[in-house]
Structures are given as C-alpha cells and as structure tokens.
Amino acid sequence: MSPKAKPSLLEIEQQVEAQAREWHRQQLQKRLQQAADEQGAVCPNTGERLQEARYEIVTLDTCAGTVTLKAHYGRHPKTQRWQHPVRRLWQLKPRQRLSPHLQDRVSYTAVETDSYERAAKMATKWGTPIAASTIHTHAQEMGREATAQSQAREEQLMDAATQAQAVALPPNGLEVFALTVMMDGFMVRERGADWALKPPEAEGARVQWHEVKAATIYRVDQVAEKESGRRQILQKFWVLAPTQTPPEQFGRAVHAEAKRRGLGKAKYVFVLADGAVWIWNIIKDRFDFALKGLDFYHAALHLWSIAHELFPEEAKAKAWIEPLLHQLKHGQEAATLNILEALPVQRQSAGLSLSEGLQCEIAYFQTHRDHLHYQELAAKGGPIGTGAMESTCGQLQTRVKRTGQFWKPTGLANMLALKSALQNDDWSALWSRN
C-alpha cells in the first residue's frame, strides 16, 4: 500500500484559513447576539418599549460569512410602526442584509475594478461570494450617500459662517504654499432614449455620448520627484460632475473644493486648462484672481497647425515653429504673438489668401494672450501643462469608459461620486452612521 499523500502547503493554508474564518464568524455572531439581547424590545431612538414584541430571525451577510440573530420585533407605541430595535441601533435599512463592513468592501471593489461583474469575481476570491447585482445595488446606494455628503460639504464651504468647519487639515505645517486647479472633460457612453428599441435593426438613438466635467486640485508642495526624474503628485483631489451638469454648477463645486484645500491661505493659485470656452468662463467667474495658464501642449498643437498650413513640407514647418516654441516657453510670448499677428499683412503683401483655419488659429492665441506667461508660472513654482488633469481623466476612463459600458445617467453619477469620495479621503465618512 502506498503511503497516504501529505497535504500540500496550499491545502494546509486553505484549511487553516477556513477554520479561522469560521471561528471569526462564530465570534461575530456571539457578539452581535449579545448586543441584540441587551437592546431587547426598546427603541434605541426614543427609549420606549415596543408593543406586541416578539422574536424574529435577523440574517446578516458579513465579511466573516452569514450570521443569524434572534432579535426583538415590535410596534412603536407612538408611531405605530413595526421595527427591529437592533437594526435601528446599527442604522441598517429594513431589509439590508449586508453588514456595513462588507458593504464598504464590495463598494470599494466595485470602484477599483472595471465592472460589477469583475467585482463579484474578486469578492468570491477573497471569500465572500456576492452576486454582481447585489454589489451594484449597494455601490449605487453608497454613491447616492456620497453625493449627498458632497453637496452638504459644498454648502458649508460656500457659507462664510460654516466654511471653517469644512476646510480640510493641511498635509503639513507649511505656512506658505501654492494651490493648483486644473479642469477638463471627457466623453462617456450613456444609454439613449431608444436603448431597448426592437428589433435590433430599427434605427434609433440607442447610445449617446456626453461629457463628464472633471477637476484636479493639489498643492504644489505635494509634487515629488522619483529617482527616475519623473514627478509624482502625492496627494491630489478630484471634482467630478455627472453628464448634463451645467458649467456654472460644476464651477461652484470646484470653487468649494479649492476652498476646502486651502484656497484662502495660498500664496499663489495656479489655474490651467486647454482652450475649452466653458472652462475659461468658469475661470473668469470663479478664479479671475488666479495666475492662469493655457496648457502648453495645447498651445503647441495650435502653433503646429499654423506651421503646417504655412509650410506643407515638414522640415520647413519645423524650422519655422521651433524658435517660436522656445520663445513661448522662455518669456518671449509677446514676440511670438507679434509674429502671428503680422501673418495677415504678410500673406496679403505676398498675394496669398488667409484661410479660415489660419484666421481661427491666430484668433485662438489672441484670445489667450494673457494665459501664455509660462516662464512666470514656472518661476513661481507652478506647472505649465495639464498633465495631472490628463492623468485624472485617464484613470477615470479605465472605470467608466470600457468596451461594452453604456451607463444610465444616475448609475454613472453614483459611480463618479464614489470615485471622488475615495480619492478625496472621504470614504470612511460614508459609513459614519454605522
């Protein structure tokens, strides 16, 4: 007879983990039952004893597994409503089965993975099998809570009487610092009015593209340099507005978050964006006092557009633009503007026409003539590009703009609220009631 095979390291570890998990579940059930017994048939809100009280089984899904409790259930003498006192004590909703800790875990997993289905697979892997539909339900619920808390904070921050209560603690003790605000937007797919239209070949507006408005806010002293020479922002904060949010409403939210992060005490405030008109309207309305900058990359793209129209040959276009880009970046932006503004007369003198595209590009630089002071921005420690903002958009799109994702507006709004809560260190506040 062959000797009995010994368990592998993997099998031993799995067995011990299962035993520890069951011990954890039993201990949790014991503690929760004790709390239910202590609460008895008394309403935790009013201290009154319930009428017609009886025992019912309360089932909760927790990170340790499913626990069952024997808890009182009765009618409140004043409201005449039936309640489980222990559910009220723990601020659980009437039919809520997930514990707050498990709800926290699955909501986090839903935010950090790329789909609710993937989140369900992850939950199974770490020992708590949960259906994707259940994760969706709870993540959406917490997204609504995140939205409500964010709106409440915004009102506090925009009210001089309560603003101080909502301003966040600074990351360090620096008394002199600079704050950077960047804004942009990216497109996502949402379900159109004819999403469920049948038959499939029938024409209809099944999918619509809409813009998510986003902002990135950070203190300049939170920018560190890695050994490789690349820069990393240690702490940055997001403002994310659902599709169809009016620019004015988004601007107010960005202004509030900037106040929360030290706008009132910053020595310098840098505000950067691409050329989107709606963003510059917000900047004029909310941040007109700031040091403003047109993203250098976008400025260079527009300058290249002019170069290619003037010189179809790439070598000639490059020879023309390189000195201008150097001027633009090193404090000679006025010289660059002079060259651009002289183009119409030069073209006319040479008997050449001025295309509509060329006129638009020249007008673009004239519109942003006060936003091209890149050397001044850099000298004061500010950025000249919106790379941090582009990074934010890229990170968000890995969650909300994947193949096959077609959002309902409310579903997208709730997910964006959770993403903001996680990024802005507001995650734990979502479960403060428990």
Side-chain angles (χ1 to χ4, degrees):
M1 296 178 62
S2 60
K4 184 178 179 180
K6 295 182 179 180
S8 67
L9 172 59
L10 175 62
E11 290 170 332
I12 293 173
E13 187 173 3
Q14 289 174 334
Q15 290 169 5
V16 172
E17 183 181 22
Q19 292 169 356
R21 183 179 174 80
E22 176 57 21
W23 180 87
H24 181 189
R25 190 196 68 78
Q26 291 178 8
Q27 292 298 308
L28 178 61
Q29 182 168 280
K30 182 179 178 181
R31 288 281 302 274
L32 296 180
Q33 184 62 64
Q34 181 182 352
D37 293 341
E38 290 175 355
Q39 186 60 39
V42 177
C43 175
N45 303 112
T46 65
E48 296 174 274
R49 182 165 292 277
L50 304 183
Q51 299 172 344
E52 304 176 55
R54 59 178 182 269
Y55 283 108
E56 280 196 352
I57 298 299
V58 173
T59 302
L60 292 176
D61 295 324
T62 75
C63 292
T66 301
V67 299
T68 56
L69 315 173
K70 187 179 178 183
H72 281 92
Y73 183 66
R75 190 197 303 272
H76 194 279
K78 290 184 178 178
T79 66
Q80 295 300 301
R81 292 183 177 179
W82 290 84
Q83 64 171 257
H84 285 104
V86 75
R87 278 187 169 276
R88 291 225 167 187
L89 176 67
W90 294 331
Q91 296 193 39
L92 299 175
K93 295 190 174 180
R95 293 178 180 81
Q96 181 177 337
R97 275 189 60 129
L98 264 65
S99 69
H101 188 33
L102 182 55
Q103 193 177 40
D104 175 353
R105 187 173 290 186
V106 299
S107 296
Y108 178 87
T109 306
V111 170
E112 290 293 83
T113 54
D114 56 15
S115 68
Y116 293 111
E117 290 74 17
R118 187 70 60 85
K121 291 179 180 179
M122 291 287 289
T124 299
K125 190 65 178 175
W126 44 252
T128 310
I130 301 178
S133 59
T134 301
I135 295 177
H136 174 271
T137 297
H138 284 272
Q140 289 292 305
E141 177 187 332
M142 298 319 300
R144 290 189 288 272
E145 176 66 22
T147 297
Q149 290 189 11
S150 177
Q151 291 174 344
R153 274 193 299 271
E154 181 180 326
E155 294 307 316
Q156 274 189 302
L157 288 159
M158 300 307 288
D159 185 339
T162 57
Q163 184 182 118
Q165 303 168 25
V167 171
L169 292 174
N172 50 47
L174 291 178
E175 294 185 2
V176 179
F177 64 91
L179 191 72
T180 299
V181 179
M182 299 179 181
M183 287 174 274
D184 202 351
F186 62 92
M187 305 300 288
V188 295
R189 292 180 297 266
E190 291 187 330
R191 301 180 184 186
D194 301 322
W195 171 254
L197 181 66
K198 295 184 182 302
E201 58 270 16
E203 294 186 4
R206 290 182 175 82
V207 178
Q208 293 181 332
W209 287 88
H210 291 132
E211 185 177 40
V212 171
K213 297 176 179 66
T216 297
I217 300 171
Y218 64 91
R219 283 177 42 153
V220 174
D221 57 87
Q222 292 299 293
V223 179
E225 189 170 299
K226 298 182 179 181
E227 291 183 5
S228 63
R230 294 190 63 183
R231 292 185 174 185
Q232 177 183 4
I233 301 175
L234 303 178
Q235 188 181 53
K236 62 179 180 179
F237 307 97
W238 292 348
V239 179
L240 307 176
T243 60
Q244 309 298 325
T245 300
E248 297 81 5
Q249 184 177 328
F250 171 66
R252 186 177 191 266
V254 176
H255 192 187
E257 190 63 30
K259 286 186 174 184
R260 187 183 182 198
R261 304 305 170 181
L263 178 69
K265 294 184 177 181
K267 180 178 181 180
Y268 299 120
V269 178
F270 305 109
V271 181
L272 284 87
D274 61 18
V277 175
W278 66 266
I279 297 178
W280 286 98
N281 287 339
I282 290 174
I283 294 173
K284 182 173 179 57
D285 180 38
R286 294 286 176 177
F287 299 98
D288 203 34
F289 57 87
L291 295 168
K292 311 170 195 67
L294 175 68
D295 173 52
F296 186 81
Y297 175 77
H298 282 84
L301 284 180
H302 284 268
L303 204 56
W304 268 108
S305 294
I306 296 174
H308 284 137
E309 181 153 349
L310 294 176
F311 306 99
E313 294 181 22
E314 185 67 23
K316 291 184 177 180
K318 186 176 181 181
W320 179 83
I321 196 175
E322 284 186 342
L324 299 188
L325 288 174
H326 186 273
Q327 289 178 349
L328 196 59
K329 197 172 185 177
H330 295 90
Q332 300 177 59
E333 56 273 14
T336 301
L337 281 168
N338 288 338
I339 291 172
L340 297 181
E341 290 174 340
L343 285 175
V345 174
Q346 292 174 358
R347 301 281 289 182
Q348 186 178 16
S349 299
L352 300 172
S353 63
L354 191 69
S355 69
E356 184 177 342
L358 202 53
Q359 292 179 54
C360 287
E361 295 295 359
I362 295 171
Y364 177 86
F365 281 97
Q366 290 174 324
T367 298
H368 290 288
R369 66 186 316 122
D370 294 329
H371 312 144
L372 305 174
H373 307 309
Y374 299 111
Q375 183 170 273
E376 179 186 354
L377 290 174
K380 293 179 177 177
I384 65 170
T386 57
M389 187 69 249
E390 298 298 329
S391 173
T392 294
C393 292
Q395 292 174 58
L396 290 166
Q397 289 178 82
T398 61
R399 180 60 183 90
V400 301
K401 197 178 178 181
R402 298 187 69 85
T403 301
Q405 287 184 327
F406 302 90
W407 293 88
K408 292 181 180 179
T410 53
L412 176 60
N414 291 332
M415 177 54 68
L416 293 175
L418 283 180
K419 293 290 285 186
S420 291
L422 185 59
Q423 181 68 29
N424 296 353
D425 296 330
D426 296 323
W427 190 262
S428 60
L430 298 178
W431 283 269
S432 59
R433 72 177 191 277
N434 301 111

